């Protein structure tokens, strides 16, 4: 008799197979729960990034050029444009801690390289105050998008994006 036959025909073998299956299922669910704690699939509803699906990695440290997902700061301007509880924003990291951000005639530069141009008014005609300049603080980032209407660090209502707001690094998948 083969070993497989012993498992299927013996009550002890069936119990062992059942317990092994339950153990494997518990291990799989535990692994999936741990994985989902640090990862998520995010759907992008904004035209400011060219991707509609982004994989969120909560544990990764942002690098220049990567996308970070963050909770936008509360402000009356953001509330008027995105509602009381806006969805997370996704933007590209243009400035890292220690980089120098400058502005000239509404153009923003990081370490001398132009990264974005700020509009004068929102789509509702509200004046848009310029975002921060100077040395990017430790634990913070200057974020932008190539989209002309992107709402990012070039505006004071967003400003530096610091660690407490960051959900994680986004990896475009579609």
């Amino acid at each position: 008799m083969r070993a497989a036959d012993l498992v299927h025909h013996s009550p002890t073998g069936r119990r062992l197979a059942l317990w092994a299956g339950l153990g494997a299922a518990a291990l799989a669910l535990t692994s999936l729960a741990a994985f989902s704690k640090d990862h998520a699939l995010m759907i992008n509803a904004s035209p400011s990034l060219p991707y509609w699906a982004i994989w969120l990695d909560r544990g990764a440290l942002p690098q220049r050029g990567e996308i970070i997902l963050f909770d936008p700061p509360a402000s009356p301007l953001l509330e008027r444009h995105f509602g009381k509880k806006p969805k997370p924003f996704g933007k590209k990291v243009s400035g890292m801690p220690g980089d120098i951000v400058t502005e000239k005639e509404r153009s923003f530069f990081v370490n001398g390289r132009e990264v974005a141009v700020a509009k004068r008014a929102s789509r509702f005609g509200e004046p848009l105050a310029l975002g921060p300049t100077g040395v990017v603080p430790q634990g913070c980032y200057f974020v932008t998008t190539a989209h002309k209407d992107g709402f990012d660090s070039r505006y004071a209502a967003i400003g530096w994006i610091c660690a407490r707001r960051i959900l994680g690094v986004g990896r475009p998948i579609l």
Side-chain angles (χ1 to χ4, degrees), residues 37-148:
K37 180 181 162 211
D38 294 330
H39 301 85
L41 176 65
M42 307 291 282
I43 303 301
N44 177 31
S46 165
S48 68
L49 289 175
Y51 320 105
W52 69 268
I54 298 170
W55 188 251
L56 174 66
D57 182 354
R58 293 184 206 277
L61 288 175
Q63 300 298 314
R64 188 181 317 280
E66 289 186 323
I67 295 168
I68 60 172
L69 295 155
F70 61 94
D71 287 323
S75 77
L77 180 65
L78 261 82
E79 188 175 320
R80 282 191 295 281
H81 285 265
F82 301 100
K84 286 187 184 279
K85 295 187 181 194
K87 302 285 185 218
F89 280 26
K91 306 295 177 193
K92 184 177 85 170
V93 174
S94 293
M96 302 284 293
D99 284 349
I100 307 293
V101 176
T102 56
E103 178 272 329
K104 183 178 182 186
E105 297 175 9
R106 301 193 79 81
S107 288
F108 280 85
F109 302 83
V110 173
N111 298 332
R113 189 180 130 261
E114 186 175 25
V115 295
V117 176
K119 297 181 356 176
R120 294 191 181 283
S122 75
R123 62 187 165 118
F124 297 140
E126 301 160 292
L128 292 169
L130 294 176
T133 58
V135 177
V136 179
Q138 285 301 325
C140 299
Y141 300 88
F142 188 84
V143 299
T144 62
T145 67
H147 196 279
K148 68 177 180 63

